[in-house]
C-alpha cells in the first residue's frame, strides 16, 4: 500500500510538471486595447490624396459686362475739339469702354483720337483724357459716351450768318451750335439705348473763350450762364453738372482781354449751382503756340476736369442760374 501511494504521488507530480511546461511554452497573444466605456469608436482620417474641401481653389470671378453708359457733351472751340500733340497711334489705343457719337459720322462707335468733332480735330481732346480718368473711379460695368460737338474759332456772337454759342441768336439752324449740340446728344443717347445700354447724361464739358477776348467779364459771364441754363432746360436736368476749362496762362498773358474771360470762368461756380472750374497748367501748350494745349496740358486737364466735375456735382450754393430766374419771372408775370 505504501508503494502504491508513493507511485501515485510521483504520477501526480509528473503530471503537474508537464502541465506547467505546456503553459510556459504556449504562444501568448497580446492583449486587445479596449476603449473606455461609452466612448465612440475613432473616426478614420481621410486619405492623404483627398485634400479638405476648404483647400480647393476658388473659381475666378466672372468679368462684369458693360451695361451702363454715362454720357458727356463736349462743347466749345479748338482746345475742346482736340489740338493736343502728339496723339494717336501707340499714344491712344482704343479703349473698349469709351464711345462717341460723332458730329459728322452719326453712328454709335468706339471713340477715336482725334474725336469726330463738329470741325476737323487734329489732336487729343480733354474730353478723352477726362473720360479715361473718370472711368478709373467707376465700376467695371460703366462706360462713357462722348458727344463731340466742339468747333474751333467759335464764340459767343450776335452775328446771324456765323456759327455761334449765343443762345437764340442764329437764324439759320446750321449756325446754332447750342441747338445742334442738343440734337446730337439726343441722337447719341438714343443710339446707345438701342444698343442695349442703360443711358444717363452726366455732364457738359466746356472749353472756350479765346475768341471772345474783346468783351467784358460781365458780358461773357451772362452769355455763359445763359448757355448753361439752355442745356439744363433742353435736357430737363436743372442740376446737370457743367465744367468750364481754364485758358492757357501763356495765352492770358499775351492777349489783352483774356483776363476778363478767365475771371468770368473762374467765378462761375460762385454764380451758378452745379458748375465747376478746371484749372489749366502753365507750360502745357504745343511748341510755338500760346493758345492750344499740348498732350501734356491735355493729360493734366483730364485730372483737372475730373476734380472740377466733382466740384460741380456738390456745388449747390445757388439753385437758379440767371436764365432760369428770368424764365421764372416771365412765367410769374404772365400769371
Amino acid at each position: 500500500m505504501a508503494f502504491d501511494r508513493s507511485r501515485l504521488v510521483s504520477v501526480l507530480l509528473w503530471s503537474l510538471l508537464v502541465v506547467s511546461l505546456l503553459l510556459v511554452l504556449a504562444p501568448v497573444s497580446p492583449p486587445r486595447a479596449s476603449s473606455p466605456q461609452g466612448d465612440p469608436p475613432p473616426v478614420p482620417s481621410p486619405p492623404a490624396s483627398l485634400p479638405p474641401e476648404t483647400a480647393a481653389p476658388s473659381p475666378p470671378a466672372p468679368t462684369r459686362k458693360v451695361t451702363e453708359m454715362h454720357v458727356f457733351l463736349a462743347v466749345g472751340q479748338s482746345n475742346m475739339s482736340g489740338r493736343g500733340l502728339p496723339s494717336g497711334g501707340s499714344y491712344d489705343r482704343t479703349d473698349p469702354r469709351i464711345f462717341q457719337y460723332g458730329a459728322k459720322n452719326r453712328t454709335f462707335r468706339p471713340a477715336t483720337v482725334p474725336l469726330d468733332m463738329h470741325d476737323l480735330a487734329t489732336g487729343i481732346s480733354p474730353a478723352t483724357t477726362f473720360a479715361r480718368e473718370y472711368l478709373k473711379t467707376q465700376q467695371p460695368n460703366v462706360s462713357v459716351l462722348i458727344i463731340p460737338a466742339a468747333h474751333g474759332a467759335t464764340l459767343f456772337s450776335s452775328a446771324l450768318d456765323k456759327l455761334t454759342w449765343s443762345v437764340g441768336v442764329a437764324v439759320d439752324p446750321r449756325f446754332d451750335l447750342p441747338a445742334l449740340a442738343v440734337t446730337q446728344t439726343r441722337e447719341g443717347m438714343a443710339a446707345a439705348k438701342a444698343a442695349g445700354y442703360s443711358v444717363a447724361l452726366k455732364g457738359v464739358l466746356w472749353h472756350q473763350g479765346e475768341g471772345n477776348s474783346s468783351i467784358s467779364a460781365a458780358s461773357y459771364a451772362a452769355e455763359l450762364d445763359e448757355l448753361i441754363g439752355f442745356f439744363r432746360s433742353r435736357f430737363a436736368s436743372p442740376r446737370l453738372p457743367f465744367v468750364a476749362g481754364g485758358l492757357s496762362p501763356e495765352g492770358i498773358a499775351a492777349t489783352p482781354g483774356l483776363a476778363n474771360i478767365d475771371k468770368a470762368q473762374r467765378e462761375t461756380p460762385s454764380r451758378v449751382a452745379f458748375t465747376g472750374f478746371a484749372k489749366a497748367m502753365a507750360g502745357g501748350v504745343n511748341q510755338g503756340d500760346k493758345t492750344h494745349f499740348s498732350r501734356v496740358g491735355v493729360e493734366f486737364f483730364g485730372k483737372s476736369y475730373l476734380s472740377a466735375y466733382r466740384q460741380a456735382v456738390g456745388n449747390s450754393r445757388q439753385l437758379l442760374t440767371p436764365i432760369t430766374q428770368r424764365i421764372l419771372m416771365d412765367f410769374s408775370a404772365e400769371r
Side-chain angles (χ1 to χ4, degrees):
M1 289 294 292
F3 175 79
D4 292 337
R5 280 198 199 105
S6 173
R7 188 175 181 181
L8 180 61
V9 169
S10 297
V11 171
L12 290 173
L13 290 174
W14 276 106
S15 298
L16 290 171
L17 180 61
V18 170
V19 171
S20 298
L21 289 173
L22 289 174
L23 291 173
V24 171
L25 295 176
V28 179
S29 299
R32 179 179 295 180
S34 59
S35 300
Q37 188 175 2
D39 287 352
V43 178
S45 300
S49 58
L50 297 176
E53 184 176 349
T54 55
S58 301
T63 303
R64 295 184 66 181
K65 182 181 178 182
V66 173
T67 57
E68 295 184 21
M69 189 70 65
H70 292 184
V71 182
F72 289 91
L73 170 59
V75 284
Q77 58 180 108
S78 55
N79 271 314
M80 182 56 74
S81 174
R83 300 294 188 268
L85 301 174
S87 67
S90 59
Y91 289 101
D92 300 296
R93 294 172 182 166
T94 301
D95 190 318
R97 294 170 66 195
I98 303 179
F99 297 81
Q100 68 176 336
Y101 186 81
K104 294 182 289 293
N105 182 359
R106 296 296 181 97
T107 58
F108 174 75
R109 64 191 191 281
T112 55
V113 175
L115 290 163
D116 180 9
M117 287 285 181
H118 195 264
D119 68 345
L120 186 61
T122 57
I124 189 168
S125 165
T128 298
T129 56
F130 165 80
R132 293 173 182 172
E133 295 298 322
Y134 177 80
L135 286 174
K136 294 177 183 179
T137 69
Q138 301 299 308
Q139 295 297 321
N141 69 314
V142 174
S143 57
V144 165
L145 171 61
I146 300 172
I147 308 297
H151 193 113
T154 53
L155 63 159
F156 291 113
S157 169
S158 58
L160 302 179
D161 58 346
K162 294 181 181 179
L163 292 169
T164 180
W165 288 108
S166 293
V167 175
V169 169
V171 176
D172 189 330
R174 296 176 300 170
F175 300 143
D176 193 342
L177 289 170
L180 291 173
V182 169
T183 299
Q184 186 179 343
T185 302
R186 288 173 173 167
E187 290 179 2
M189 294 176 67
K193 289 179 181 178
Y197 294 93
S198 172
V199 180
L201 179 60
K202 290 293 185 176
V204 180
L205 309 177
W206 169 261
H207 196 285
Q208 190 276 339
E210 296 89 351
N212 283 118
S213 60
S214 62
I215 67 176
S216 67
S219 295
Y220 186 89
E223 293 274 13
L224 183 60
D225 294 356
E226 189 165 13
L227 180 65
I228 296 169
F230 173 82
F231 284 138
R232 291 175 174 174
S233 173
R234 290 299 182 273
F235 293 124
S237 179
R239 299 190 177 193
L240 181 66
F242 184 100
V243 178
L247 308 179
S248 74
E250 293 82 359
I252 295 172
T255 307
L258 284 187
N260 291 335
I261 309 305
D262 180 64
K263 181 178 186 296
Q265 292 179 337
R266 287 178 181 273
E267 293 176 351
T268 302
S270 64
R271 294 192 316 271
V272 185
F274 307 108
T275 63
F277 175 75
K279 297 179 181 179
M281 70 173 289
V285 290
N286 289 320
Q287 188 173 3
D289 191 338
K290 296 180 180 180
T291 299
H292 299 111
F293 291 95
S294 65
R295 181 177 192 89
V296 173
V298 173
E299 292 284 0
F300 178 87
F301 258 147
K303 298 178 177 63
S304 183
Y305 266 87
L306 179 60
S307 177
Y309 176 74
R310 290 170 174 162
Q311 175 193 19
V313 170
N315 177 13
S316 59
R317 65 180 62 192
Q318 184 176 327
L319 297 178
L320 298 177
T321 65
I323 181 65
T324 308
Q325 290 174 340
R326 192 183 71 197
I327 292 173
L328 288 177
M329 289 174 63
D330 291 345
F331 179 74
S332 298
E334 289 177 0
R335 295 186 65 183

